[in-house]
């Protein structure tokens, strides 16, 4: 039985994914590096430095470690400015209802995000006090598709991994959840992921609590 839900943040609860895109685009344009939405799709769920490495594959010259740190810092500065405007109303459709429904239904909830900006984003959208645990980019060394962030979230919730459902919009996050031995609801870009246990275009189109209640006994071996 699922007793805990771990939410990815960017692209699941709030549409910061567009701000990540705009910030990388500006950094890449300043460096004369090709960057578009198709390349951006591969960055979902991936840490800042790993994202930069992927972008630099299209660079015409080699960048030193110091230069890379400078570029990551520059991108983050642009990103942090963009997220200043975030308000509770900017949560994605169905996100707030889902969080509240699960809390009321007695399901433990956590954040499992690669982002080091998680604390300030939760603060901007007024959700800081909603979660029983937070695992984010500040607490891990390996980014999705590594399962580290989800395993840490489960540990902080004091829940076994096979009682956790992850909600993800990134293919890297779906893979991370599967590697952690967890079930996963794919939304947004991950709503067509064949590896997801269940899929929904948006949290607005599904009651996660009803789904959990209607699936009291899962055949985990079959699912995985
Ligand atoms: C993930 C985003 O949630 O966080 C990625 O999907 C982003 O696009 C990653 O690169 C790291 O974010 P931050 O805020 O630490 O740069
Ligand atoms: Mg995401």
């Amino acid at each position: 039985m699922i007793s805990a839900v771990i939410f990815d943040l960017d692209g699941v609860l709030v549409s910061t994914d567009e701000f990540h895109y705009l910030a990388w685009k500006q950094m890449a344009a300043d460096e004369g590096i090709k960057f578009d939405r198709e390349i951006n799709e591969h960055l979902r769920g991936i840490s800042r430095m790993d994202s930069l490495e992927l972008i630099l594959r299209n660079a015409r010259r080699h960048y030193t470690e110091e230069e890379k740190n400078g570029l990551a810092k520059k991108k983050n500065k642009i990103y942090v400015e963009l997220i200043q405007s975030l308000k509770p109303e900017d949560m994605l459709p169905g996100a707030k209802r889902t969080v509240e429904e699960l809390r009321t239904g007695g399901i433990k909830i956590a954040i499992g995000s690669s982002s080091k900006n998680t604390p300030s984003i939760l603060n901007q959208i007024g959700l800081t006090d909603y979660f029983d645990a937070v695992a984010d980019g500040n607490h891990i060394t390996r980014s999705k598709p590594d399962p580290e962030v989800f395993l840490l979230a489960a540990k902080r919730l004091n829940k076994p991994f096979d009682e956790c459902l992850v909600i993800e919009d990134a293919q890297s996050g779906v893979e991370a959840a599967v590697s952690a031995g967890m079930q996963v609801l794919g939304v947004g870009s991950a709503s067509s992921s064949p590896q997801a246990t269940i899929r929904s275009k948006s949290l607005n189109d599904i009651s996660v609590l009803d789904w959990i209640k209607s699936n009291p006994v899962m055949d985990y071996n079959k699912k995985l």
Side-chain angles (χ1 to χ4, degrees):
M1 165 93 193
I2 295 296
S3 64
V5 172
I6 305 172
F7 290 83
D8 172 51
L9 178 65
D10 297 318
V12 169
L13 293 178
V14 64
S15 194
T16 41
D17 43 346
E18 183 65 15
F19 293 148
H20 279 296
Y21 166 71
L22 292 172
W24 283 127
K25 193 171 163 55
Q26 187 172 328
M27 184 232 75
D30 292 349
E31 292 298 310
I33 301 169
K34 180 185 172 218
F35 183 72
D36 54 26
R37 285 190 184 272
E38 199 195 325
I39 300 169
N40 187 59
E41 272 304 307
H42 299 285
L43 309 184
R44 283 182 191 277
I46 308 289
S47 73
R48 198 179 307 162
M49 290 312 286
D50 288 353
S51 297
L52 178 64
E53 291 291 349
L54 287 174
I55 292 168
L56 291 181
R57 284 187 188 170
N58 288 314
R60 271 175 263 124
R61 71 170 179 89
H62 172 79
Y63 285 80
T64 65
E65 285 309 307
E66 199 183 339
E67 284 176 315
K68 286 180 192 171
N69 288 333
L71 291 180
K73 208 167 162 188
K74 183 174 174 182
K75 179 266 175 175
N76 193 53
K77 191 162 177 280
I78 301 166
Y79 177 71
V80 167
E81 272 163 28
L82 290 171
I83 60 174
Q84 292 313 307
S85 62
L86 275 181
K87 294 178 296 299
E89 305 85 74
D90 294 321
M91 285 183 76
L92 282 163
K96 185 80 180 285
R97 174 190 49 78
T98 303
V99 166
E100 284 176 341
E101 245 175 40
L102 292 170
R103 272 166 62 97
T104 314
I107 303 289
K108 291 282 179 199
I109 54 171
I111 293 284
S113 166
S114 304
S115 174
K116 293 186 173 176
N117 290 297
T118 296
S120 45
I121 293 168
L122 288 177
N123 186 39
Q124 295 274 132
I125 59 175
L127 280 194
T128 303
D129 297 328
Y130 273 68
F131 293 91
D132 300 297
V134 173
D136 67 38
N138 299 293
H139 314 126
I140 54 167
T141 53
R142 296 178 303 278
S143 148
K144 298 169 189 176
D146 190 283
E148 185 181 6
V149 77
F150 294 138
L151 292 172
L152 179 63
K155 192 173 168 207
R156 290 189 168 175
L157 287 174
N158 206 16
K159 291 287 183 186
F161 62 84
D162 57 1
E163 288 187 18
C164 296
L165 171 75
V166 167
I167 307 183
E168 258 296 348
D169 73 308
Q171 180 54 27
S172 62
V174 172
E175 286 169 25
V178 171
S179 295
M182 297 174 183
Q183 296 187 61
V184 51
L185 160 60
V187 296
S189 293
S191 62
S192 52
S193 170
Q195 286 165 285
T197 319
I198 37 162
R199 292 163 273 273
S200 177
K201 276 258 169 273
S202 149
L203 283 178
N204 214 19
D205 305 331
I206 187 169
S207 165
V208 180
L209 185 63
D210 284 352
W211 183 81
I212 289 171
K213 284 188 189 157
S214 63
N215 286 273
V217 183
M218 295 297 296
D219 182 346
Y220 292 106
N221 292 328
K222 195 175 156 206
K223 281 285 161 197
L224 298 173

